[in-house]
Amino acid sequence: MMSIFAAVALVLTSAILSVAFPLATYTFTLAAFGLTHVLTELHYVDNRFRQRLGNNLCWRMSQLLILIIGLRSLQVLSLIPTWLSITLELSCVVGLVILVIPVLAKKDWRLGIFGTMLCLTLTVGIFSSATLTLLIFAILHNITPVGFIAEKLRGKPRNNALFSCVVVFLLIPLLIISGIPNQVLSYLGLVGLEASLFPVGGLENHLGIFVPPQLQDEAIAISLFSAAVFLQTMHYAVVIGVLPKWEKHHKSQNEHYVFPWLVGFLSVILFVSFTREFIHTRAVYGIIAAVHAWVEIPILLLALAIPENSQISFQGISSQKLSNK
């Protein structure tokens, strides 16, 4: 009962802060929890899914992820233009999806079609507006915990959790976008759009993270930004607060205890860097953030096709045959 009360309190507090102080909430949560959530999420994905993928597929996916790291690094160093980096990065994401289509099709032809349609959607997005496509996927990435929850749980716990996800990841963001919470908090004098805990510049310098350029001058821009900040905060909460409890630890006790300390140490260093130079630190953080965001697309697709305790190889040969159950 106490855990439910704490969860509700966290959701409501995050929603209020995201609307009342969107810039402060975005910058502080990113600085404080960004790297922690990335490393925790990567650790969970490796722990839960590596054995199902097989070495061959893991290696091929790793090659594309390394290429993405290289592209992001070149972009941060201003060695290639941003538009080219984004276009090539999204092309690598298309490649990640293509790698898993044979596995999806082997399980169910409809999954194969779904994977193919996703590739086509990404390709159209690249040619129409790669920057907008990247922005949309950056926002949609915040709902990936729903996929992990659906993959992990079964029966009534799964249904209850997914119902909660509908409220948290859909209904509350839509309410925020409606502008009603902003109007209520503004009436109470509780809104500080430019407030921040450390120097990060004005809100206009950060709107582009979640709001397309076409909408940044519209009245809805602030509400869209606040909704995205809330989604990001909830993403952090599930990844850091829930996923580690579901991990199976096959490694030694020493390794089990070293990881949290290492994550904490690196996160403190990055937090200090964020407080000193937010924009540049965010660009560097984006390198590893891109890896964890893009790898989850093929991983969650494969979760539809590969049951737990199964393995595959790139050629489609499994140590345990893919069942149709």
Side-chain angles (χ1 to χ4, degrees):
M1 185 57 117
M2 286 299 295
S3 61
I4 295 177
F5 177 80
V8 171
L10 175 63
V11 170
L12 293 178
T13 301
S14 298
I16 292 172
L17 291 176
S18 297
V19 174
F21 308 107
L23 180 60
T25 304
Y26 163 66
T27 53
F28 176 76
T29 54
L30 179 63
F33 305 112
L35 185 61
T36 300
H37 114 271
V38 166
L39 296 178
T40 301
E41 205 161 343
L42 284 172
H43 194 264
Y44 178 82
V45 168
D46 179 71
N47 188 289
R48 184 157 181 81
F49 296 100
R50 172 177 284 274
Q51 294 302 317
R52 303 191 214 179
L53 303 186
N55 292 332
N56 205 340
L57 183 56
C58 279
W59 169 241
R60 292 172 183 269
M61 291 172 62
S62 297
Q63 289 176 309
L64 288 172
L65 292 172
I66 290 171
L67 184 55
I68 289 173
I69 291 174
L71 291 169
R72 281 283 178 124
S73 300
L74 291 174
Q75 179 186 335
V76 170
L77 296 172
S78 299
L79 296 178
I80 60 174
T82 300
W83 69 265
L84 179 59
S85 171
I86 292 175
T87 300
L88 295 176
E89 181 175 327
L90 289 174
S91 299
C92 291
V93 178
V94 173
L96 287 170
V97 178
I98 290 175
L99 284 178
V100 303
I101 287 177
V103 181
L104 298 176
K106 181 179 177 66
K107 172 67 176 181
D108 189 324
W109 63 270
R110 288 167 294 188
L111 293 177
I113 291 178
F114 178 75
T116 302
M117 292 301 296
L118 180 57
C119 280
L120 292 175
T121 301
L122 276 166
T123 302
V124 171
I126 292 172
F127 282 101
S128 59
S129 177
T131 302
L132 179 60
T133 302
L134 182 67
L135 185 149
I136 291 172
F137 272 87
I139 296 174
L140 291 178
H141 166 71
N142 289 317
I143 66 174
T144 52
V146 180
F148 290 129
I149 289 170
E151 188 275 334
K152 172 66 177 180
L153 302 179
R154 294 292 182 270
K156 187 176 180 180
R158 183 190 197 188
N159 294 336
N160 292 339
L162 291 180
F163 174 78
S164 299
C165 287
V166 169
V167 174
V168 172
F169 289 95
L170 179 61
L171 298 183
I172 294 179
L174 288 177
L175 177 62
I176 294 174
I177 291 173
S178 73
I180 295 174
N182 181 270
Q183 293 173 10
V184 172
L185 292 176
S186 295
Y187 178 78
L188 296 174
L190 298 177
V191 174
L193 298 181
E194 300 292 334
S196 179
L197 298 178
F198 36 82
V200 296
L203 180 59
E204 68 277 3
N205 297 327
H206 304 275
L207 279 179
I209 297 297
F210 297 127
V211 182
Q214 304 91 320
L215 297 177
Q216 289 179 21
D217 294 326
E218 302 296 328
I220 198 175
I222 302 300
S223 295
L224 287 173
F225 185 82
S226 296
V229 170
F230 171 74
L231 279 174
Q232 180 171 280
T233 304
M234 291 299 94
H235 178 96
Y236 291 170
V238 174
V239 168
I240 298 172
V242 177
L243 296 190
K245 299 177 181 179
W246 290 348
E247 286 196 69
K248 297 177 181 178
H249 299 285
H250 303 292
K251 300 180 180 180
S252 67
Q253 268 317 87
N254 287 336
E255 289 177 287
H256 172 57
Y257 286 115
V258 165
F259 179 74
W261 282 100
L262 178 63
V263 170
F265 174 72
L266 295 176
S267 297
V268 168
I269 293 177
L270 201 70
F271 179 81
V272 173
S273 182
F274 266 117
T275 62
R276 294 177 177 273
E277 182 49 69
F278 186 88
I279 301 298
H280 290 161
T281 303
R282 183 174 63 189
V284 174
Y285 161 81
I287 297 173
I288 185 172
V291 173
H292 103 288
W294 295 133
V295 74
E296 288 171 4
I297 294 178
I299 288 293
L300 288 173
L301 286 173
L302 287 170
L304 297 172
I306 310 170
E308 193 174 1
N309 301 321
S310 295
Q311 291 179 320
I312 65 167
S313 71
F314 182 75
Q315 291 78 12
I317 303 172
S318 60
S319 60
Q320 297 181 22
K321 293 182 179 180
L322 293 176
S323 68
N324 291 318
K325 296 180 181 178

